[in-house]
Amino acid sequence: MAGMTPLKYLQAYPAQVQNQVRDMIAQERLGEYLTRRYPQRHEVQSDKALYAYTMELKQQHLKNAPGIDKVLYDSKLDVLRNALGLHTAISRVQGSRLKAKKEIRVASLFKTAAPEFLQMIVVHELAHLKEIEHNKAFYQLCQYMLPEYGQREFDLRVYLTWRELPSTHRTDNPE
Ligand SMILES: [Zn+2]
């Protein structure tokens, strides 16, 4: 039964919203919803391109945030636990100094996603340069960089939900 479908990516949303998504799954309309809203695929296909893309967004909105050493697609990121990318500050000894290395890792599945989703992920990760926790200040920063951030993150979670549906519910493939 569709009503029993667990929506692990959407647990933080009101039951009513989750039920709307369940209805769309039951009616096999989720793929159509995503295709209509996000018909395009972006062209940021290499780590080098991802780095340039990220630095451009940073330059636009967060010039004064700490620098980034590395930006890369990571095929080993756990999609469930790190669906929104992984932010690490690797501390390592360089000479006699301890240097924090800032990295942004984006799950490889977003390589084939809509440009809007890549943008949302990178905005999320950039906001973490200033705010570590997912607190109010963090989301305000996300919205400052991307005014429709809230809707975008919801839709991205819908996309992740859709990706993991049994194939019987995925006949309307947005890819
Ligand atoms: Zn985060």
Side-chain angles (χ1 to χ4, degrees):
M1 296 298 288
M4 304 299 285
T5 310
L7 299 175
K8 62 187 175 188
Y9 296 108
L10 297 163
Q11 283 172 11
Y13 293 87
Q16 194 193 348
V17 172
Q18 293 189 40
N19 284 334
Q20 283 170 358
V21 174
R22 285 197 183 91
D23 285 348
M24 283 200 287
I25 292 170
Q27 295 161 11
E28 298 185 9
R29 280 172 39 223
L30 206 54
E32 181 199 314
Y33 168 86
L34 290 163
T35 309
R36 201 173 54 239
R37 289 181 86 114
Y38 304 102
Q40 296 179 301
R41 295 293 168 266
H42 67 78
E43 292 176 351
V44 185
Q45 294 300 306
S46 66
D47 290 346
K48 195 182 165 192
L50 184 61
Y51 179 81
Y53 177 87
T54 303
M55 292 310 280
E56 197 181 314
L57 268 177
K58 182 179 184 294
Q59 193 63 15
Q60 270 176 40
H61 304 294
L62 285 181
K63 236 181 239 188
N64 299 323
I68 308 162
D69 298 312
K70 211 171 169 186
V71 185
L72 64 155
Y73 284 115
D74 188 339
S75 59
K76 291 184 208 75
L77 277 193
D78 184 318
V79 179
L80 175 59
R81 294 171 65 183
N82 300 303
L84 300 177
L86 185 71
H87 16 90
T88 50
I90 300 168
S91 294
R92 63 176 191 184
V93 179
Q94 266 194 356
S96 57
R97 287 176 309 158
L98 193 68
K99 194 183 174 206
K101 192 171 182 298
K102 287 265 183 199
E103 280 188 8
I104 288 180
R105 287 170 186 260
V106 173
S108 291
L109 72 95
F110 294 114
K111 235 184 201 180
T112 53
E116 292 90 343
F117 291 154
L118 181 71
Q119 183 190 25
M120 193 238 102
I121 290 291
V122 172
V123 159
H124 181 104
E125 295 307 319
L126 283 173
H128 275 308
L129 294 175
K130 288 198 153 187
E131 296 288 337
I132 292 166
E133 305 290 336
H134 293 139
N135 55 23
K136 200 175 172 190
F138 173 82
Y139 285 108
Q140 280 173 349
L141 198 50
C142 288
Q143 269 187 15
Y144 161 74
M145 288 189 272
L146 179 63
E148 62 272 39
Y149 181 87
Q151 178 70 44
R152 200 68 71 75
E153 181 171 330
F154 173 75
D155 283 343
L156 181 131
R157 288 170 179 277
V158 169
Y159 172 68
L160 293 172
T161 302
W162 173 85
R163 282 184 80 248
E164 294 183 11
L165 290 178
S167 55
T168 51
H169 288 285
R170 286 187 52 176
T171 50
D172 46 354
N173 189 328
E175 277 168 359

